[in-house]
Amino acid sequence: MPVTRGYADLPGVRAEAEAVAGSYPGSVPLVGADATHTALASALSRAAVAHFACHAVNVPEDPSRSGLVLADGTFSVAELSVHDLEGHAFLAYLSACDTARGGRVLTDEAITLCAGLVLAGFTHAFGTLWPVDDAAAAFLAGRFHQALARRLGRGEAVEPARILNQLAEWTSGGWPDRPSRWATLIHFGG
């Protein structure tokens, strides 16, 4: 969602979508008006890797209402978690603000967008702990998916959390005084 009514524009989203789609032949990006509840639910029903580059809303008082902002409204944690994606869903990457941040009421229960995707069947989910810079998010996402796709293409055993860790290590060298750019992503799942 490079442009979403009521939110700041995300100019890096189109390039991010192209970079991610370019890493996985045959992938079908849902960008702008194409990113609807129906289209997303259909794509999730068959996707092994899902990447989200959009705004997210965090509702700390009721985290199950937190969600991804699509062309036709918010796709909530509650909506995500009822999908049965087990068997084909491998990895979900949330390049959006606050997608790994939980609520205030039940702070010991991790109800987040990432947790909802794992509950729905994704083996791995990556999300952010705070707001992220659009350019940094696009850069990190492109590098992550290039590394993941390269390893998958070679038939190597893939540990996505290790790829993220290597990326954070490498990126921190370029922005040692800006951990807000490289330390926001965390891993949920196996």
Side-chain angles (χ1 to χ4, degrees):
M1 294 296 301
V3 177
T4 307
R5 190 173 59 226
Y7 295 87
D9 288 354
L10 299 172
V13 164
R14 287 202 189 279
E16 185 174 340
E18 288 172 12
V20 172
S23 296
Y24 307 102
S27 61
V28 180
L30 300 172
V31 180
D34 293 336
T36 64
H37 282 72
T38 302
L40 178 58
S42 176
L44 287 175
S45 71
R46 60 188 179 283
V49 175
H51 181 87
F52 303 90
C54 58
H55 284 286
V57 292
N58 185 284
V59 184
E61 296 75 33
D62 185 2
S64 64
R65 288 189 16 233
S66 298
L68 301 166
V69 182
L70 303 178
D72 60 350
T74 302
F75 199 81
S76 72
V77 170
E79 290 174 279
L80 282 168
S81 63
V82 299
H83 288 271
D84 182 8
L85 309 175
E86 206 162 319
H88 69 277
F90 175 63
L91 182 137
Y93 188 109
L94 295 140
S95 185
C97 299
D98 299 323
T99 54
R101 210 169 94 201
R104 287 189 207 131
V105 178
L106 301 171
T107 56
D108 62 335
E109 293 185 17
I111 301 172
T112 67
L113 284 160
C114 286
L117 286 161
V118 170
L119 182 61
F122 278 95
T123 306
H124 304 275
F126 294 88
T128 60
L129 291 167
W130 52 75
V132 293
D133 175 75
D134 181 52
F139 174 79
L140 292 169
R143 293 290 185 150
F144 176 85
H145 285 290
Q146 286 171 357
L148 177 66
R150 189 171 41 252
R151 288 182 176 123
L152 289 171
R154 287 188 238 160
E156 295 177 14
V158 177
E159 295 181 46
R162 190 173 304 267
I163 294 170
L164 181 67
N165 186 49
Q166 291 166 346
L167 178 62
E169 240 178 71
W170 178 76
T171 308
S172 68
W175 292 313
D177 59 338
R178 304 285 304 269
S180 63
R181 291 190 171 192
W182 51 265
T184 186
L185 284 165
I186 66 169
H187 172 257
F188 283 66

